[in-house]
Amino acid sequence: MRNLTSAIALIGCVWSTGAVSADRTDLAIDEFTGGTESVGIVENKAFVAPRDAKPATAPFTGTIALSEVAMTTDPGTFKSNDILGKDPQVFPAAVLSFVTVDDDLVPSTQDVQRYGSTANGTSFWDIIVQPGKVWSEDGDDGWNRASFPFSLMHSIEGETHNGVAMFLYKDGEVSDLRFQVVSQTAPFYVEDYFTAAGLADASLSEGSVDNEEEIAAKHRQAMDDAEKLADWQALVEKFGEESVDGFNGDINSEEIVVDGLGVDGTFYLKSCPTVAGELPYCDRQRFGVWSVTKAAANTVAMLRLAEKYGPGVFDEKIAEYVNEAEGLPGWDQATFGDLLNMASGMGYGSQDEKPYNITDPFLDPYMAWYEAPTVEGKLDVLLEGAEPYPWGNGEVARYRDEDMFLLGEAMSRYVRAHDEAYHTIWDLVTEEVYEPIGIHYAPINKTIEAASEDDQPLMAFGFYPTISDMVKIAKLFQNDGRVGDKQILNAEKLADIAPSEAPIGFPTGDPQRPYYLKAFWRAHMDSRNGCSFYYPTMVGWGANYVALFPNDVFAIRLANDWDDDAGANRMDSLELTADRVGNLCE
């Protein structure tokens, strides 16, 4: 087992040392074993090891089965307790398997585990579980503690409700599971901003886990390859308080989920704020980033295909691969590249080209597509519901999640036509792009087919990266698609994504981000040092931003802005900080 003190010093916010001593006042053992009926939010530090923690007396390996439980929430009453026939105030009856690797509690999977999106149970929520920790404390009567971060989400949506959980274990026995939900990215169907806590009945259903050695080896590799995030204070010390002051500008502080700045090859994590203190395991937590997925998934996929099969993939016709589109007016001309640019020439909005309005419209056909669970259902809605615009394909951008999904489906079929080793484009992306850059887990929402092996990635939204994952993807774009001396993304097709002096892309009508190209929004910036340029940004619902500035500087800020607050949508404070520390005119 690793030296515990060294682990605490090196891991940083993964192992957030709390002020709680072995003489606990929060989450004492009787709260897990004494039949507590009502629980509330406590300080997050109670869910992590205290400074005087000791190594666990035994590892935990096994599967715990949870019972559904009504959560204690704030607000106590939701706007609706019937979302797609399910209740968002109920924690799901999840079955979770873990192994212990050194002092890490490692789930057997970090993929989406479906509960709410199935016919079973009453809970609305699916769940993603991330690695946590095991330890022991004096005064716990021989029990060991195991805690882990998790994300409640739903397979047709794109947000996460992030939290932390703990159970006790000893001698083949487990306690109930104490959990709390303390932050979230922007909601959609479940409109409530909420926190929650609960105690779920738990039982040890299995004392072993299949493929334990493979799980452990993959986890060790992922930890070795994870970005080593620096503390914000190190950025302050390097550049001075005046250089980084005001990083978040006018955004409501309660809307910030996580934020930080990358400069000189290092990402400085500023905060993971919650109502109960900093979010434990922040750098292991997975976040719902909504449409950041479009660039992180579709753009990455297209650039990989262009490198592997040639840039001509951008000119491939959608109807050549999605035979359901054959013979439908307008779809016969739309190309892969058109859909990546939101310029399919198809839709159901205004027939007027100007004034430009990329977000026109989101009408009833969109919601029918959104809720359709299968590829067949989604294709039926998006292909039949759209009409040709008078300007044709490749001329005007109109924002359509449907087209990004269609592009993903077309790419999957393209891959199957060229390489039977991959069933979906996501399989190719994870193996040929993400694995080489050190991303070893890549959960994404998929369609819900009769056979799970036929599920297809949504691609328009639904990717759940960690902060480390987002940093790696940003660096890959800024490194011109190279990993070391290997080109994995096509440099020719990537070139017009990089910052540029001249405007590039399709007009959006959005003064904040006036151009759009290859799933990136482009904003204009005047540097205090005299240069002027447009820079690309991955943008997701709720004011989620991954902004790529010149000189390999980048900013990440995830938020939960549901009401389109002006302070959340402005990026001038991120630009100013990047300009102060990054020499953007070099």
Side-chain angles (χ1 to χ4, degrees):
M1 180 172 289
R2 292 182 304 181
N3 178 275
L4 190 62
T5 304
S6 297
I8 292 172
L10 291 172
I11 294 174
C13 71
V14 168
W15 186 277
S16 178
T17 57
V20 181
S21 70
D23 184 17
R24 278 182 172 266
T25 56
D26 287 324
L27 305 190
I29 59 172
D30 60 357
E31 295 185 43
F32 295 86
T33 61
T36 301
E37 294 190 4
S38 179
V39 299
I41 299 290
V42 300
E43 288 293 313
N44 286 327
K45 63 187 178 182
F47 282 86
V48 296
R51 286 189 292 268
D52 55 0
K54 295 178 172 59
T57 60
F60 179 83
T61 299
T63 299
I64 59 173
L66 308 177
S67 298
E68 277 191 354
V69 61
M71 299 185 287
T72 301
T73 63
D74 182 13
T77 301
F78 281 11
K79 292 181 176 67
S80 176
N81 289 99
D82 184 1
I83 308 292
L84 303 177
K86 296 295 189 77
D87 190 343
Q89 286 186 276
V90 173
F91 193 85
V95 178
L96 309 176
S97 298
F98 298 95
V99 302
T100 301
V101 181
D102 301 320
D103 54 13
D104 282 354
L105 180 74
V106 181
S108 61
T109 179
Q110 291 190 50
D111 285 335
V112 174
Q113 299 183 58
R114 289 177 176 161
Y115 300 98
S117 60
T118 71
N120 301 320
T122 64
S123 175
F124 175 76
W125 300 112
D126 299 329
I127 193 170
I128 306 173
V129 174
Q130 296 94 55
K133 290 286 180 179
V134 296
W135 71 93
S136 67
E137 299 178 16
D138 291 335
D140 273 357
D141 194 27
W143 289 96
N144 292 293
R145 291 179 180 260
S147 79
F148 59 91
F150 68 89
S151 304
L152 296 182
M153 36 65 67
H154 190 280
S155 288
I156 71 167
E157 300 242 67
E159 86 267 25
T160 49
H161 300 259
N162 301 103
V164 61
M166 180 186 287
F167 64 93
L168 312 181
Y169 68 94
K170 69 174 179 179
D171 302 329
E173 182 181 1
V174 295
S175 72
D176 291 339
L177 180 86
R178 178 70 180 269
F179 64 86
Q180 61 186 38
V181 177
V182 289
S183 75
Q184 66 177 79
T185 52
F188 192 61
Y189 271 155
V190 182
E191 297 180 19
D192 306 87
Y193 288 90
F194 71 88
T195 58
L199 188 68
D201 289 340
S203 60
L204 185 65
S205 63
E206 295 288 343
S208 61
V209 174
D210 292 339
N211 303 317
E212 182 177 349
E213 291 184 0
E214 291 87 344
I215 294 168
K218 185 174 182 178
H219 173 71
R220 288 192 174 99
Q221 187 65 59
M223 293 301 294
D224 287 344
D225 290 343
E227 288 290 323
K228 306 303 186 283
L229 308 182
D231 185 84
W232 190 256
Q233 185 57 36
L235 185 70
V236 173
E237 293 173 359
K238 183 174 183 178
F239 293 101
E241 182 69 45
E242 67 282 358
S243 294
V244 300
D245 185 46
F247 176 70
N248 280 311
D250 296 332
I251 186 174
N252 184 335
S253 62
E254 294 181 356
E255 293 185 336
I256 297 172
V257 175
V258 62
D259 54 348
L261 186 72
V263 60
D264 295 337
T266 299
F267 185 76
Y268 298 87
L269 180 63
K270 189 175 188 296
S271 65
C272 273
T274 82
V275 297
E278 288 289 300
L279 184 67
Y281 306 105
C282 177
D283 52 352
R284 297 184 181 186
Q285 183 69 257
R286 296 194 172 277
F287 298 97
V289 295
W290 285 102
S291 288
V292 168
T293 303
K294 291 177 172 65
N298 275 311
T299 308
V300 164
M302 282 291 289
L303 293 175
R304 177 57 191 159
L305 292 181
E307 182 62 19
K308 187 171 185 176
Y309 297 110
V313 68
F314 277 76
D315 300 319
E316 292 281 1
K317 299 290 181 63
I318 292 294
E320 289 288 325
Y321 295 91
V322 182
N323 62 291
E324 294 91 334
E326 290 179 353
L328 296 179
W331 288 118
D332 56 339
Q333 296 301 312
T335 68
F336 284 27
D338 291 335
L339 269 63
L340 189 63
N341 290 330
M342 293 291 188
S344 67
M346 303 295 293
Y348 33 72
S350 169
Q351 299 292 300
D352 297 327
E353 177 179 346
K354 296 179 181 179
Y356 292 113
N357 182 8
I358 192 174
T359 57
D360 176 306
F362 286 93
L363 300 176
D364 290 344
Y366 175 81
M367 299 312 302
W369 170 83
Y370 187 81
E371 292 185 6
T374 65
V375 169
E376 180 181 8
K378 288 186 180 298
L379 289 179
D380 283 347
V381 174
L382 75 88
L383 292 174
E384 297 291 344
E387 298 290 339
Y389 286 117
W391 48 79
N393 63 299
E395 297 295 330
V396 176
R398 289 285 176 87
Y399 199 91
R400 284 172 49 86
D401 287 345
E402 304 98 310
D403 287 358
M404 284 292 179
F405 168 78
L406 178 60
L407 174 59
E409 178 64 15
M411 287 190 290
S412 288
R413 298 187 188 189
Y414 180 94
V415 165
R416 291 196 291 271
H418 287 78
D419 188 343
E420 295 183 0
Y422 299 115
H423 185 59
T424 75
I425 187 60
W426 197 243
D427 298 329
L428 182 145
V429 166
T430 54
E431 183 168 322
E432 297 192 8
V433 180
Y434 285 174
E435 285 277 349
I437 65 174
I439 298 175
H440 299 281
Y441 309 92
I444 192 171
N445 283 347
K446 298 178 180 180
T447 60
I448 304 172
E449 309 295 334
S452 60
E453 60 268 23
D454 294 329
D455 296 350
Q456 297 293 306
L458 295 188
M459 302 298 280
F461 49 80
F463 179 38
Y464 299 100
T466 64
I467 290 295
S468 174
D469 297 342
M470 287 185 278
V471 169
K472 288 182 178 297
I473 293 168
K475 287 184 175 181
L476 178 63
F477 279 110
Q478 291 186 323
N479 198 39
D480 300 323
R482 293 191 306 274
V483 177
D485 58 359
K486 183 178 181 181
Q487 193 77 41
I488 61 173
L489 303 184
N490 186 267
E492 174 191 341
K493 288 295 186 179
L494 192 152
D496 59 7
I497 293 174
S500 62
E501 291 185 7
I504 297 175
F506 294 86
T508 66
D510 181 349
Q512 300 283 341
R513 288 166 284 279
Y515 294 96
Y516 190 91
L517 189 73
K518 293 177 180 172
F520 281 87
W521 297 77
R522 299 182 73 83
H524 184 260
M525 177 178 168
D526 293 314
S527 169
R528 62 176 186 157
N529 294 318
C531 63
S532 178
F533 52 84
Y534 292 83
Y535 66 90
T537 303
M538 308 179 209
V539 177
W541 165 253
N544 295 325
Y545 301 127
V546 181
L548 308 183
F549 300 107
N551 204 21
D552 295 339
V553 178
F554 62 96
I556 297 174
R557 188 176 73 201
L558 306 186
N560 56 28
D561 175 57
W562 191 81
D563 54 359
D564 202 28
D565 175 71
N569 282 288
R570 286 171 45 201
M571 298 178 63
D572 49 348
S573 62
L574 305 182
E575 295 172 356
L576 179 59
T577 305
D579 200 26
R580 286 169 173 168
V581 305
N583 299 317
L584 302 187
C585 292
E586 286 188 352

